[in-house]
Amino acid sequence: MVTLPCTYSISYGTTTMCWGRGQCPSSKCNNQIIWTDGKTVTWRKSDKYQLMGDIEKGNVTLTITGVTSEDAGSYCCRVEIPGIFNDQKSEINVKIKGTDKVQSFPGIVQITCKYTVQTQKYSMCWGRGVCPLFSCNNEIIWTDGSKVTWRRSDKYQLNGDIEQGDVTLTIIGATMEDTGKYCCRVQVPGLFNDLKEQTDVNRGKVLKARVTTSPQKGRIMVLITIAVRLYI
């Protein structure tokens, strides 16, 4: 997994932006891989390209999963700011070097949690530890039934359709510190009506999620060098 940083100030509001391969052209993006409208991702070339930050707060950092040698090269982050030649552009060069050792890197763990949406969407939370009587202990993420409203860090993601009741938790870069119990709690109005699902993430799940790399098999390579250039 590779993360390419890109943020902008939303002091004058959110705006459209794109990521593309190659240098930033005079307008738009070449070899486009993802677009947003300032609030959500509106198009992406494939699921390997993700924007896991808070887009509405100007965090359009690109995450590339399943990295191979083909992902090396230049990337352009272009934020479309109204006015002539006002766009914010950043170019990031990704260099991937090989190794003669087989290594293991943190992977992705998913914990499934879904509920049926009929006439109403519900707020919900994920927490560490057993499900308490109310709310969540050691909270890591909250939604209002439509979108994520708070998260402890960007390593915790809800990539399913929240409005359709898919609140499956994705843990990015899982390590042994992420083992233990997790509670998914959907807050249904009424006394003791909450839907609760408790899941244990054990050592085996984390080890299974780790990515093993081996140049002899043409897999992901190890050292990633990123150079960033900002200009308008």
Side-chain angles (χ1 to χ4, degrees):
M1 182 175 66
V2 178
T3 300
L4 310 185
C6 188
T7 60
Y8 69 96
S9 172
I10 59 168
S11 55
Y12 295 102
T14 57
T15 186
T16 55
M17 65 79 55
C18 61
W19 276 95
R21 296 294 302 267
Q23 295 183 337
C24 295
S26 57
S27 64
K28 306 297 180 182
C29 293
N30 288 331
N31 301 313
Q32 298 167 10
I33 55 179
I34 202 162
W35 271 94
T36 88
D37 60 3
K39 296 182 178 180
T40 61
V41 172
T42 54
W43 178 85
R44 78 178 89 234
K45 188 174 182 179
S46 80
D47 288 338
K48 77 178 291 175
Y49 303 112
Q50 301 286 334
L51 298 186
M52 295 180 174
D54 193 332
I55 298 173
E56 293 189 75
K57 291 185 178 179
N59 186 350
V60 288
T61 294
L62 177 67
T63 297
I64 307 173
T65 60
V67 179
T68 70
S69 58
E70 294 180 356
D71 294 305
S74 296
Y75 290 78
C76 171
C77 172
R78 185 184 209 103
V79 180
E80 297 189 311
I81 299 174
I84 299 177
F85 304 123
N86 282 346
D87 288 358
Q88 175 185 303
K89 298 175 286 184
S90 62
E91 286 183 7
I92 300 176
N93 188 43
V94 176
K95 296 180 180 179
I96 306 176
K97 296 183 179 180
T99 178
D100 55 3
K101 297 180 180 179
V102 175
Q103 299 192 15
S104 182
F105 297 90
I108 296 174
V109 170
Q110 286 191 323
I111 311 174
T112 301
C113 187
K114 299 179 181 181
Y115 68 95
T116 301
V117 176
Q118 296 178 342
T119 59
Q120 186 176 354
K121 294 170 288 190
Y122 305 115
S123 60
M124 63 80 55
C125 60
W126 276 96
R128 297 291 302 267
V130 298
C131 293
L133 189 60
F134 302 104
S135 195
C136 291
N137 287 331
N138 299 316
E139 300 167 355
I140 55 179
I141 201 162
W142 272 93
T143 86
D144 61 4
S146 298
K147 62 183 183 301
V148 172
T149 54
W150 177 86
R151 78 179 89 231
R152 183 183 294 177
S153 80
D154 287 341
K155 77 177 293 176
Y156 303 112
Q157 301 288 331
L158 300 185
N159 294 327
D161 191 335
I162 297 174
E163 293 189 335
Q164 294 300 314
D166 186 353
V167 288
T168 295
L169 178 67
T170 298
I171 305 173
I172 307 295
T175 68
M176 290 305 162
E177 294 181 355
D178 296 301
T179 59
K181 296 186 184 299
Y182 288 77
C183 173
C184 171
R185 186 183 207 107
V186 180
Q187 297 188 311
V188 180
L191 192 61
F192 303 119
N193 283 347
D194 287 359
L195 303 175
K196 297 180 290 182
E197 187 168 336
Q198 192 169 287
T199 304
D200 186 60
V201 174
N202 56 36
R203 179 183 176 89
K205 287 182 180 179
V206 173
L207 287 174
K208 186 177 180 180
R210 293 173 75 86
V211 179
T212 300
T213 69
S214 172
Q216 289 86 350
K217 296 181 180 179
R219 297 293 300 280
I220 305 169
M221 290 174 282
V222 178
L223 179 62
I224 300 170
T225 303
I226 302 176
V228 181
R229 180 162 58 117
L230 293 176
Y231 58 94
I232 57 173

